[in-house]
Amino acid sequence: MIKELFCSASKVVHTDLVLPNDTNNHNTLFGGVLMKKMDAVAAIASRRHSRREVVTASTDSVDFLGPVYPDDSLCLEAYVSYTGRTSMEVFVKAIAEDLRTGYRRIAATAFLTFVALDENGAPCSVPAVIPQTEEEKKLHETGDERAKIRKMRRINSKDLADFIKVDKPWS
């Protein structure tokens, strides 16, 4: 297995039109549609990095920074920014472009975590990642802190799942 790969080796760029059926009552792109597209490009980036099947382990957050309109194109860029033993953090940025003027702006950012799976569906090791650009270096340097926060959030989520009821609400 390859020991380390550049962030750019996993890079995915996907550009799409914003179509009327993807917009809400504010005439902007539905947040859920954007989240689905982000998960898809992040999955490709993590598979490209690990050359394995993967599962989404978590989404730290999707920060919606500005609306995406029907006249815009939506460009999603994703790459593996940090790795653990079996997990890969993928950074995704959504860039909206006004196709009439060419003005581009960051519409959203997100960090998603994927786990690589072996042939039996068990977690398996992944190559380390090597940042090259300033953006990649900044994200990689802060990746360990995000990983610690993710672990704590997962513990808290499991505690909550043990506490909440699964009884049928009509019982």
Side-chain angles (χ1 to χ4, degrees):
M1 181 179 93
I2 296 172
K3 298 276 188 221
E4 16 179 56
L5 293 167
F6 291 117
C7 293
S8 59
S10 65
K11 191 164 210 167
V12 175
V13 178
H14 177 82
T15 304
D16 210 348
L17 291 170
V18 177
L19 299 172
N21 62 323
D22 292 333
T23 60
N24 58 29
N25 57 312
H26 302 289
N27 202 34
T28 60
L29 182 67
F30 269 114
V33 169
L34 179 56
M35 291 166 60
K36 178 183 177 186
K37 290 174 182 285
M38 291 177 120
D39 187 46
V41 296
I44 294 169
S46 63
R47 288 188 68 186
R48 188 173 277 167
H49 181 82
S50 66
R51 297 298 173 193
R52 298 284 191 162
E53 290 292 328
V54 299
V55 292
T56 308
S58 71
T59 301
D60 287 6
S61 65
V62 178
D63 295 313
F64 299 101
L65 304 172
V68 182
Y69 300 104
D71 290 338
D72 293 335
S73 70
L74 177 66
C75 180
L76 298 173
E77 294 181 23
Y79 58 87
V80 174
S81 54
Y82 185 80
T83 57
R85 190 178 63 77
T86 63
S87 65
M88 297 159 282
E89 174 191 80
V90 180
F91 175 67
V92 183
K93 59 182 167 183
I95 302 166
E97 179 182 348
D98 184 320
L99 292 172
R100 291 172 303 198
T101 66
Y103 177 70
R104 291 168 55 92
R105 63 204 182 277
I106 298 290
T109 59
F111 288 97
L112 295 89
T113 303
F114 291 80
V115 173
L117 303 175
D118 67 14
E119 298 76 21
N120 300 313
C124 62
S125 61
V126 298
V129 70
I130 304 167
Q132 293 176 290
T133 68
E134 290 305 309
E135 178 180 293
E136 293 167 354
K137 289 175 184 176
K138 180 174 178 73
L139 295 176
H140 189 265
E141 289 168 6
T142 54
D144 189 51
E145 185 61 31
R146 284 188 302 277
K148 289 176 185 171
I149 292 168
R150 254 180 239 116
K151 283 183 182 179
M152 183 55 68
R153 193 177 68 236
R154 187 165 183 85
I155 290 168
N156 291 339
S157 291
K158 284 183 176 183
D159 288 346
L160 179 61
D162 289 340
F163 173 75
I164 59 177
K165 297 177 179 169
V166 295
D167 300 336
K168 295 175 184 164
W170 54 86
S171 302

